[in-house]
Amino acid sequence: VLVATLLIVALQVAEGRRAAYATAFAAVAAILQDPEIRDARWHVLNVLGQHKDKDADGAEVEVPKKEFDCWSSVDRALAGKVCQSYDTAAIVCRRGMLPPDVVADSWGHSLRHVLPIVQPLIDEFQRDRAPEYWDDFVWIADLADRQPWLHRSWIGRARVKIGDLVGGETRLRKHL
């Protein structure tokens, strides 16, 4: 009876954890997929960052990254929104409410491309305001960059439940 009770309690705890992770994921997804944040992220990637465009003749050309010194107040405000949204998502992960692998994988491509573009703004805020400004964003982007197993596209090849993501890399590897 004691063993059965302990097993039931363990299952309830695990299910409670999965429910908490699902709730945290929904909150993070709501922040990062908010249309205003998505528009700001598009601006950072396609206006401030190096990108492809068409010239007057319709030929594709590479447009260089916009220099930080040339950023307008709108550029800075939109980049700040992106930094804040990723920082908030990373705080949720760092505080244990959601496994960081979930955000580092789901938004990894964006994290890896956005950080180098906004790094001068982060450096300025950390220097002029406080060193912890957007440091959680830097942490999650670094995680996405350091985890080569996150770079592979496994979506579509495996059905992964959030319970499989709880164990991080070790349990996720079996799906790759």
Side-chain angles (χ1 to χ4, degrees):
V1 173
L2 180 61
V3 172
T5 302
L6 291 175
L7 181 61
I8 290 171
V9 168
L11 290 172
Q12 287 176 333
V13 168
E15 189 58 36
R17 183 179 309 132
R18 276 193 290 279
Y21 286 165
T23 301
F25 179 81
V28 166
I31 292 166
L32 296 178
Q33 298 298 55
D34 179 271
E36 188 176 318
I37 299 302
R38 288 178 61 131
D39 289 346
R41 205 164 43 235
W42 183 93
H43 182 85
V44 166
L45 291 167
N46 296 292
V47 174
L48 303 180
Q50 181 178 342
H51 58 281
K52 296 183 188 309
D53 205 349
K54 304 251 184 218
D55 65 13
D57 299 324
E60 194 171 271
V61 294
E62 192 72 33
V63 178
K65 179 177 165 180
K66 188 174 184 180
E67 292 299 320
F68 182 62
D69 302 2
C70 300
W71 285 17
S72 68
S73 59
V74 171
D75 294 333
R76 294 170 64 83
L78 292 173
K81 281 184 183 185
V82 172
C83 292
Q84 184 57 51
S85 67
Y86 276 133
D87 196 61
T88 301
I91 289 168
V92 169
C93 295
R94 255 191 157 162
R95 301 302 176 254
M97 294 177 260
L98 182 67
D101 304 356
V102 176
V103 173
D105 176 59
S106 299
W107 287 275
H109 181 269
S110 178
L111 286 162
R112 287 187 295 277
H113 287 84
V114 166
L115 182 62
I117 298 167
V118 299
Q119 189 66 60
L121 183 65
I122 293 171
D123 293 343
E124 178 183 282
F125 270 63
Q126 289 180 342
R127 182 186 65 243
D128 297 347
R129 296 182 185 196
E132 62 273 6
Y133 242 90
W134 299 325
D135 62 336
D136 295 300
F137 166 34
V138 174
W139 169 79
I140 197 79
D142 183 56
L143 176 66
D145 195 48
R146 285 185 294 114
Q147 303 282 343
W149 60 273
L150 289 173
H151 296 225
R152 287 186 255 162
S153 177
W154 49 268
I155 303 297
R157 289 188 292 166
R159 291 183 183 210
V160 180
K161 298 177 184 167
I162 195 162
D164 294 327
L165 298 175
V166 172
E169 178 179 358
T170 305
R171 291 181 65 187
L172 186 56
R173 273 193 183 278
K174 70 182 181 185
H175 296 286
L176 297 176

